[in-house]
Amino acid sequence: MVQLKNKDCTVSIDAGELVSFVCGGHEFIHQKRSPGWGSSDTEMFPVIGPLDKANFRIQTPKGEAIQDQHGLLRQIPYELILQTESTAVFAKEYTEGTKVKNSKYPVKSTEPFMDWPYSFRFEKSFELKEGALEIVFRISGEEGMPFMLGYHPAFKLHSDAPMIIANDQKISLDEVLAVGSRAYQVPDCNSITLKDERQITIEAKGFGHFMCWTEVKNMVCIEPISFYPYAVEQKDLEKGFQYLKGKAEFKVMLKPSL
């Protein structure tokens, strides 16, 4: 377990997963043993969304790839490559064509392995600053590699009527629950504020959109995304790709009320 601390906040990171963000005694992150979701954060890469109705296949410029929901990145372990009192950097590397075991098989998938026809390196860095936790994603790999990226943090809810504020729009938890597994789309948005017992703002750079998801009332996922996967049919999911130009960087700032 990696911990980052300053005078206001403490961050706990378990193998690259943000498992705790406590400021002034208030826990902002969903705890994995609580109802709702067995994780506290993860990344969606190189695809976002399910592919079960497309036979778990997606087209790329280098041919067909086998992917499952939200991509193969989450099935690859992080390596800690740097740690200081306020910073931690984790990395994953993938070699094109390598078979990656699919944890959803056989209960939720027909595919025991996933693959991707491109090599890449994926870095996730945390820096605890005054008044904010900055999370940066850096992608490097083959020129022209197609990809989508989403960040999937889960926030613990402490009140009965939390409110999500996005582009002057007020979104209730019941509205998110009503959408179900598709997730509530928040297009053309770079900042969302979750108003609960304590307030936290999620600012994103490079993504362009958000989606919100939960199936319980004790947590909500507020997810910066490069593409909303339900905008197209699963067989057309490649329409959501952007293409790597050597390197790409995406940033998320978690700004709690102190």
Side-chain angles (χ1 to χ4, degrees):
M1 188 76 68
V2 173
Q3 284 201 329
L4 313 178
K5 295 182 180 181
N6 62 18
K7 61 184 178 63
D8 297 314
C9 302
T10 300
V11 172
S12 298
I13 307 159
D14 183 9
E17 183 178 10
L18 177 63
V19 294
S20 179
F21 184 28
V22 177
C23 298
H26 183 95
E27 175 64 80
F28 285 97
I29 300 300
H30 166 70
Q31 301 300 288
K32 297 200 287 188
R33 292 179 296 276
S34 299
W37 189 38
S39 299
S40 56
D41 91 343
T42 192
E43 290 74 57
M44 300 174 279
F45 180 90
V47 300
I48 303 172
L51 280 161
D52 55 309
K53 294 178 182 177
N55 197 29
F56 301 99
R57 266 70 175 172
I58 188 166
Q59 292 298 323
T60 81
K62 291 176 70 173
E64 195 173 67
I66 299 175
Q67 295 286 297
D68 211 319
Q69 183 165 354
H70 299 329
L72 58 70
L73 184 76
R74 59 177 59 192
Q75 306 288 345
I76 303 169
Y78 273 115
E79 177 186 356
L80 177 65
I81 60 173
L82 176 68
Q83 181 182 353
T84 69
E85 187 175 307
S86 60
T87 303
V89 182
F90 297 83
K92 301 183 180 189
E93 293 200 21
Y94 176 80
T95 301
E96 64 177 275
T98 302
K99 299 291 185 183
V100 175
K101 190 174 181 180
N102 185 6
S103 64
K104 291 182 176 293
Y105 174 84
V107 178
K108 295 182 178 180
S109 177
T110 60
E111 299 299 324
F113 297 97
M114 291 181 277
D115 58 51
W116 190 240
Y118 300 84
S119 299
F120 62 81
R121 178 180 174 87
F122 190 97
E123 288 189 7
K124 179 182 186 182
S125 68
F126 298 86
E127 183 176 359
L128 184 57
K129 300 184 173 183
E130 186 174 348
L133 175 63
E134 180 183 79
I135 306 167
V136 179
F137 306 98
R138 295 180 178 90
I139 303 162
S140 57
E142 184 176 333
E143 189 79 12
M145 180 183 77
F147 72 94
M148 308 168 207
L149 176 63
Y151 178 47
H152 194 310
F155 297 93
K156 182 176 181 178
L157 298 176
H158 297 258
S159 67
D160 293 332
M163 189 65 64
I164 297 166
I165 310 298
N167 292 339
D168 298 322
Q169 176 188 6
K170 293 183 178 180
I171 306 164
S172 70
L173 188 65
D174 285 342
E175 289 176 279
V176 177
L177 283 162
V179 177
S181 61
R182 290 175 65 90
Y184 189 102
Q185 182 183 15
V186 187
D188 303 317
C189 182
N190 295 310
S191 179
I192 283 184
T193 296
L194 174 60
K195 292 193 172 185
D196 193 33
E197 187 179 285
R198 290 271 295 278
Q199 177 175 302
I200 188 167
T201 297
I202 301 94
E203 294 181 358
K205 184 177 181 181
F207 293 89
H209 316 281
F210 279 85
M211 62 184 184
C212 303
W213 169 81
T214 190
E215 295 180 358
V216 294
K217 291 196 170 186
N218 59 279
M219 58 150 263
V220 64
C221 296
I222 299 176
E223 309 166 35
I225 52 173
S226 64
F227 179 72
Y228 181 66
Y230 299 99
V232 297
E233 297 292 329
Q234 288 186 22
K235 64 180 178 61
D236 299 320
L237 192 61
E238 69 268 15
K239 291 180 179 180
F241 281 141
Q242 54 185 270
Y243 296 88
L244 190 64
K245 297 178 181 179
K247 295 182 180 180
E249 181 175 291
F250 298 78
K251 185 181 296 185
V252 175
M253 296 284 284
L254 304 183
K255 295 183 173 181
S257 58
L258 299 175

